[in-house]
Amino acid sequence: MNERLEKVASALRRRGFDAAVFDTREQATAFILGDLPEKQEIGMGGSATLAQMNLDAALRDAGHTVHWHQGASREEGPAIRRAAMCAQVYFASANAVTEDGLIVQIDGTGNRVAALCYGPETVYIIIGRNKIVEGGYTQAVRRIKQVACPLNARRLHLDTPCASTGSCNASACTHSMCHLFLAMEGAPGGKRTQVILIDEDLGF
Ligand code: SF4
């Protein structure tokens, strides 16, 4: 048992989230497949974590319909993002979570943070151990600017200062992926937000 992940899970529960800890991505996927009702309409936010889990394929194989813009053309993307926001269930990762359960998300388009707040009635947030930070909001944002953004910008071939230098220069950034910040102090009302912590490094 990873005591640090268990501590984060306890903090998340105090904030109104459902939270569960798994040793591996395979165990997490098995939990998700067993947890979902049959034949759900599912949306997914852009995420290296979800891609590394091959979660879209596992969900489709289990009979669910999946709306995921990752890998879609620029023309197809907006309609897929909108369908994902209107689905029954939504999957995303997080950009950082503090040891006391504050989840911090960034977004460039806004589809993901919108869906997390007031989209599908059931949301799963899947977080690898590498996303946990000591400290509070400031430390979470530092991780996002110094680790998540440069790696994600390179993954997405975005021409941002952090992609080329490793450092943020927001005033010179014309393709920002972090002009929207969402700090989830607690679970949104009126819906279930299930956080899944995995004792593996996943995503950025
Ligand atoms: S504002 Fe631009 S340069 Fe700064 S971290 Fe975000 S994407 Fe990178």
Side-chain angles (χ1 to χ4, degrees):
M1 183 182 78
N2 184 317
E3 288 183 8
R4 191 179 191 211
L5 266 63
E6 293 291 349
K7 180 180 164 191
V8 175
S10 296
L12 287 162
R13 290 184 198 110
R14 286 196 294 275
R15 292 173 181 265
F17 297 96
D18 291 355
V21 178
F22 298 93
D23 290 333
T24 66
R25 69 192 75 180
E26 290 81 11
Q27 290 172 0
T29 300
F31 167 79
I32 290 164
L33 294 177
D35 197 43
L36 284 169
E38 289 185 357
K39 297 189 182 304
Q40 294 292 284
E41 195 86 16
I42 293 174
M44 290 174 51
S47 166
T49 295
L50 303 185
Q52 287 169 4
M53 293 175 71
N54 286 321
L55 189 63
D56 58 321
L59 292 168
R60 288 190 178 102
D61 288 349
H64 304 292
T65 301
V66 178
H67 303 283
W68 200 23
H69 66 281
Q70 201 146 298
S73 68
R74 189 175 290 270
E75 293 72 30
E76 293 170 327
I80 298 173
R81 288 189 187 90
R82 190 155 292 282
M85 272 184 55
C86 298
Q88 294 166 289
V89 182
Y90 196 79
F91 284 87
S93 186
N95 300 108
V97 60
T98 68
E99 286 184 331
D100 74 344
L102 173 72
I103 299 173
V104 182
Q105 304 279 9
I106 56 156
D107 213 338
T109 307
N111 60 299
R112 192 169 62 101
V113 295
L116 290 170
C117 292
Y118 200 70
E121 288 187 0
T122 302
V123 167
Y124 293 81
I125 302 176
I126 304 178
I127 308 174
R129 64 189 174 196
N130 51 312
K131 307 276 187 77
I132 300 172
V133 297
E134 284 181 30
Y137 180 76
T138 301
Q139 286 71 29
V141 171
R142 184 176 301 146
R143 179 194 189 276
I144 290 169
K145 292 273 189 179
Q146 295 181 351
V147 179
C149 282
L151 292 173
N152 273 312
R154 288 172 200 147
R155 171 176 71 91
L156 298 168
H157 306 293
L158 294 179
D159 181 19
T160 66
C162 62
S164 50
T165 69
S167 299
C168 176
N169 183 357
S171 62
C173 186
T174 53
H175 298 93
S176 176
M177 65 180 73
C178 64
H179 48 205
L180 298 167
F181 276 77
L182 170 65
M184 303 181 79
E185 294 267 3
K191 63 197 288 182
R192 174 187 174 206
T193 303
Q194 170 73 58
V195 181
I196 292 178
L197 299 163
I198 302 177
D199 194 8
E200 293 186 55
D201 291 343
L202 288 164
F204 306 127

